[in-house]
Amino acid sequence: MKKKIICSVLFLCMIICKSQTINVRGIVEDSLKINSFIGINVNDTIRKFRDRQLKDKAFKEKNPDGYDKLIKNKDLFTSPDSVGNYTINAKLTDTLYFYKWGYTTKKYKVEDIINNNIKVVLKPRPCIPYKKCDQQNPSKLYAFVGKKIDVSYIDQSKYCGVSLSTEYKAEYNITQEFGDHYPDSTIIFTAYDHNSMYEYDFRNYDNILIFVGEYCGDLIKDYFFPVYKTIDGRWATPVDIYMEHYYKSEKFSPLDITFDHSVNFDLSDYSSVRIEYKFPKEYYKIKNGKAYPIKGRYAEDLVKLWKEISTKNQK
């Protein structure tokens, strides 16, 4: 009976010890002895959070500062000093992930690190060079109103070097063409985005007027406008006051347009000052906490306007 009690107590002690947070100390370095930008993360929490933000727009909107908060949490993330020494608080049952851009990530149980005195050495991973393309003007330019089918995040960790933009694979139904004819009703292209604000992220719209160029055999997104149906079934975009100084043109000034009644913008999160600036009475009618566009540009005029602006920028 006493033996059973002792064994139970020892087992309980082991469970308690493993569930307690301890100070873990160790050494990590890369094989080239350049120890800058090495990250150490408990249970891969930060990468999982980042990947969810990239794949789930609603989650990103609810947690806009979450990534920065995790990075600053000393119990989740740390970096070694110049000679590779690190310290972090974790449980024996936790796993530490050691990563650096361009290197193979390694992971070890905290218990193994302590018991085996593990020194972590990161090695450069095999990578695929980015495709080089010096083509300035597209071989073909597809301008069309497209309806979103799917936009998926592309993992760039397989490539050599660092990209400042996020890469996406986008698939759209072609609703109406305004440029070169694409030989199918659906189109798949690559899009890059560098931390665009919500309204300038093409993923946030179901229908867009988009320009896709063919560069070195690849289809790449150039630019887009969000578009909405008008009362007579045409495509048009409301006035974006922030971008209006870029769109100045004697030929293509905003026109009086009657948009479909469903086209409106909720103002509940806007201050009165911001509403007055972003939705001026010249271009919008404010009613019941919503802004209804009354002026804009038709899709065919936007195509001509964009080409006019592009021509000026190339000179």
Side-chain angles (χ1 to χ4, degrees), residues 101 125 127-133 155-165 167 192:
W101 182 267
R125 58 167 172 75
C127 59
I128 303 171
Y130 279 102
K131 181 178 179 179
K132 187 176 180 180
C133 179
D155 181 10
Q156 293 177 291
S157 62
K158 60 187 177 182
Y159 295 113
C160 306
V162 178
S163 174
L164 298 178
S165 298
E167 182 179 352
Y192 297 94

Side-chain angles (χ1 to χ4, degrees), residues 24-42:
V24 186
R25 296 177 181 272
I27 298 176
V28 59
E29 60 183 31
D30 66 40
S31 58
L32 301 180
K33 308 295 184 182
I34 305 172
N35 290 338
S36 59
F37 306 113
I38 293 176
I40 304 167
N41 184 212
V42 178

Side-chain angles (χ1 to χ4, degrees), residues 53-68:
Q53 275 195 325
L54 290 169
K55 296 175 182 178
D56 188 339
K57 290 183 292 182
F59 178 77
K60 183 177 181 180
E61 290 170 22
K62 291 180 181 178
N63 303 276
D65 303 321
Y67 185 82
D68 291 334

